[in-house]
Amino acid sequence: MLQIWTTPSTCSCGSVGWTRVFAFGAARSTSQSLIQRDHTHASQEELGGLSFFGVDEGVLPPFLLLQMRGRIWKPDTFFNNVKDAEVHQVSMPNILLRIGNTGDVLYSMRITLKLSCILQLENFPFDAQQCNTLLASYANTDDVIKYRWEENVPIDLPDNLEIAQYDLLGHSTHERKQEFVTGNFSGLLIKFSLRRQNGYHVLQTYVPTILIVSISWVSFWLDPNAVPGRVSLGVTTLLTLTTLASGTRASLPPVSYVKAIDVWIGMCMIMVFGALLEFTLVNWLANRKIAPDCQPVFKIPKVAAARAEDEPPKSPTTYISHARAFDRLCRAAFPGGFLIFNFIYWPYYLTQQSLEATAA
């Protein structure tokens, strides 16, 4: 609830109440649906000759419904970050005007607003956001109209409120005074603290990319000379990961800084592309002939060459044993490196999200 105190020439005003239902939309902006209920106080002498018909003299009903909305003064409230607005017209204009027997005037209208919110996406999708909106009078200065929040229940939200992709952590209300060349204007500020839900992005982005990276490691178990199989596997996983990354970025604004999901996609790209480059190296080794009276390119580690020592010694003509040893090393190096990256990535960004939510 908010209160508006004014000193117009035709009437004195009392309180304005607000009932709001909030629905936040895509990452680019947040949408809020608001239902405005304005209560304006006026004495019976200031009602412009309006009277209560159909009642006994001296006995007034609790209120009187009016259709002459143009004769009642109303505050010129506006929202500073509104992008789109709609007054509900089904099946009739959702506007109510009621005058009580105490002189109170109730003016209620149902409107839907889409409000913009500046998002900070450095930690997306592990981010927490704070969205604000300011409502004030557009033409009347603070010496004519003043906005005040009701002390008990400034904003009434439903108990079972659910917001797509976000958790509503809390809200706060503030009174603001705007100073312009045209004068000083009274206003009200609302702040909403939001935390993004991670379930959708984990299922749609993180789990598929982990599977794609894991599939790229299958090439380490194929023979170094299996060119069609290893090339097809590497190229397919790389193109699939690129397509998935493009679809993820398409739903986000083109910001210039690096996001948390960009770090993840970039690391997955390095792993898949690295597996493809590893095949190029081992295939080159497997087909490179050993020149007579020439030292080997590099020595095989004892652990990797354990199997080669069990076999009867032969005079090798290529570096196929070195290629197979390198494959065996990559079977442990690639999964181990990706596992270490996960141990750093997840705790860091989940901690950042908790800190941002606490600060908001």
Side-chain angles (χ1 to χ4, degrees), residues 186-256:
S186 175
L188 298 176
L189 180 65
I190 317 166
K191 295 183 178 181
F192 296 96
S193 299
L194 305 169
R195 180 179 58 199
R196 192 183 301 274
Q197 299 173 355
N198 305 324
Y200 172 82
H201 298 281
V202 169
L203 294 177
Q204 298 295 325
T205 302
Y206 287 92
V207 172
T209 51
I210 290 175
L211 295 177
I212 293 172
V213 172
S214 301
I215 291 173
S216 68
W217 298 335
V218 175
S219 64
F220 301 146
W221 277 263
L222 299 180
D223 188 84
N225 289 317
V227 177
R230 297 189 70 161
V231 170
S232 300
L233 184 61
V235 173
T236 300
T237 52
L238 186 61
L239 293 178
T240 304
L241 186 60
T242 304
T243 304
L244 183 62
S246 301
T248 302
R249 296 190 183 99
S251 60
L252 297 174
V255 294
S256 59

Side-chain angles (χ1 to χ4, degrees), residues 145-343:
I145 180 172
K146 292 184 178 181
Y147 291 79
R148 295 288 185 270
W149 288 109
E150 188 183 50
E151 296 181 359
N152 298 329
V153 185
I155 297 180
D156 187 13
L157 296 176
D159 297 333
N160 56 347
L161 177 63
E162 294 184 3
I163 304 174
Q165 298 189 35
Y166 288 95
D167 293 325
L168 181 61
L169 303 179
H171 62 274
S172 60
T173 57
H174 309 272
E175 298 178 4
R176 289 296 176 89
K177 181 178 180 180
Q178 297 179 294
E179 298 181 358
F180 300 102
V181 178
T182 54
N184 300 330
F185 297 85
S186 175
L188 298 176
L189 180 65
I190 317 166
K191 295 183 178 181
F192 296 96
S193 299
L194 305 169
R195 180 179 58 199
R196 192 183 301 274
Q197 299 173 355
N198 305 324
Y200 172 82
H201 298 281
V202 169
L203 294 177
Q204 298 295 325
T205 302
Y206 287 92
V207 172
T209 51
I210 290 175
L211 295 177
I212 293 172
V213 172
S214 301
I215 291 173
S216 68
W217 298 335
V218 175
S219 64
F220 301 146
W221 277 263
L222 299 180
D223 188 84
N225 289 317
V227 177
R230 297 189 70 161
V231 170
S232 300
L233 184 61
V235 173
T236 300
T237 52
L238 186 61
L239 293 178
T240 304
L241 186 60
T242 304
T243 304
L244 183 62
S246 301
T248 302
R249 296 190 183 99
S251 60
L252 297 174
V255 294
S256 59
Y257 48 81
V258 178
K259 302 178 288 294
I261 199 168
D262 295 333
V263 176
W264 176 268
I265 296 295
M267 186 60 185
C268 293
M269 287 282 191
I270 292 174
M271 300 299 294
V272 174
F273 191 70
L276 191 59
L277 291 180
E278 188 272 348
F279 160 69
T280 305
L281 176 60
V282 297
N283 183 259
W284 173 77
L285 289 174
N287 292 277
R288 187 173 186 271
K289 294 183 179 181
I290 298 178
D293 301 331
C294 181
Q295 295 294 330
V297 178
F298 60 89
K299 294 184 178 180
I300 305 174
K302 294 183 178 181
V303 177
R307 295 183 181 179
E309 293 177 355
D310 297 338
E311 300 176 356
K314 298 180 181 179
S315 56
T317 58
T318 63
Y319 292 96
I320 185 65
S321 58
H322 295 73
R324 290 171 178 170
F326 194 73
D327 268 344
R328 285 193 290 270
L329 287 177
C330 291
R331 292 173 191 174
F334 273 71
F338 192 65
L339 189 62
I340 293 174
F341 169 73
N342 277 267
F343 283 148

